[in-house]
Amino acid sequence: FFFRQPHNMPIIPACKWAQRKERVYLTVDVPQPENVKVEFGDKTVTFSGKRGPEGEEFAHTFNLFAEIVTEESSFKVLGVCVQINLKKKDTEAGYWDRMTEEPSKVSKNFLSCDWDRWVDEDEDQGEDEDFGYGDLGDMNYDGPDSDDEDAPLDDLDTPPEAPAAE
């Protein structure tokens, strides 16, 4: 889903956000992102790039609810999205009321809450979650939870018995 702007202006992709005590997580849903640029200001985050084989341009600037630490904010470009990790400047202020300083009616067409990553303020343990979709390279398929410990599967080659006739 993309929000179209008039006259060949870049599209605004659908975005989702969640937060923790010390961080804001922003996911920009762009398939096959290329030439991605993300710039951090004290109260802004700007992203731009091209998507897919057509090279359609996308861009947007969010005016943030509160200040961030630009040097400790980062982003990752994945095959299906761009993930932006914003470090809050005032971590003692608690959760932000919203991600942007503008009212939600301004961004409701393209910005929504990421309920998969959301943690309520009173349940936040102050731990930063894994930034991306996890490191699949760390998965150990031969570990103690592997199916290799289960009973042998020799009986899979034998056809099932026919039910007894009554």
Side-chain angles (χ1 to χ4, degrees):
F1 172 74
F2 293 91
F3 182 71
R4 291 264 176 219
Q5 298 193 69
H7 302 306
N8 297 329
M9 291 180 67
I11 57 172
I12 301 174
C15 299
K16 298 182 289 190
W17 80 289
Q19 66 178 315
R20 300 290 185 281
K21 181 179 179 183
E22 297 183 359
R23 299 215 171 255
V24 172
Y25 302 104
L26 175 64
T27 301
V28 181
D29 289 328
V30 180
Q32 302 172 350
E34 296 177 359
N35 303 326
V36 175
K37 293 179 185 171
V38 178
E39 296 176 9
F40 304 104
D42 291 336
K43 279 191 74 174
T44 62
V45 60
T46 301
F47 58 84
S48 63
K50 295 184 178 193
R51 72 174 181 118
E54 302 87 35
E56 189 172 27
E57 291 184 25
F58 65 89
H60 189 65
T61 297
F62 282 109
N63 297 310
L64 301 171
F65 183 78
E67 289 186 62
I68 60 170
V69 180
T70 59
E71 303 81 26
E72 295 182 39
S73 297
S74 60
F75 71 97
K76 273 188 182 180
V77 178
L78 303 173
V80 294
C81 66
V82 178
Q83 289 189 328
I84 301 172
N85 184 337
L86 306 171
K87 170 75 171 156
K88 293 180 182 180
K89 187 170 188 174
D90 185 1
T91 57
E92 298 304 317
Y95 272 37
W96 294 357
D97 293 341
R98 56 188 182 271
M99 194 185 100
T100 63
E101 66 181 16
E102 295 88 14
S104 60
K105 67 181 180 180
V106 173
S107 58
K108 70 179 180 181
N109 290 330
F110 55 88
L111 179 63
S112 63
C113 186
D114 188 346
W115 295 113
D116 292 334
R117 300 180 87 182
W118 193 270
V119 173
D120 287 330
E121 188 170 6
D122 57 350
E123 296 174 5
D124 189 353
Q125 302 297 318
E127 300 170 4
D128 288 334
E129 72 174 45
D130 181 16
F131 176 60
Y133 289 103
D135 185 4
L136 297 178
D138 286 348
M139 295 179 103
N140 182 1
Y141 294 104
D142 295 324
D145 293 335
S146 170
D147 285 339
D148 293 342
E149 296 177 23
D150 292 345
L153 302 176
D154 324 358
D155 61 339
L156 290 179
D157 292 332
T158 43
E161 294 181 23
E166 293 181 21

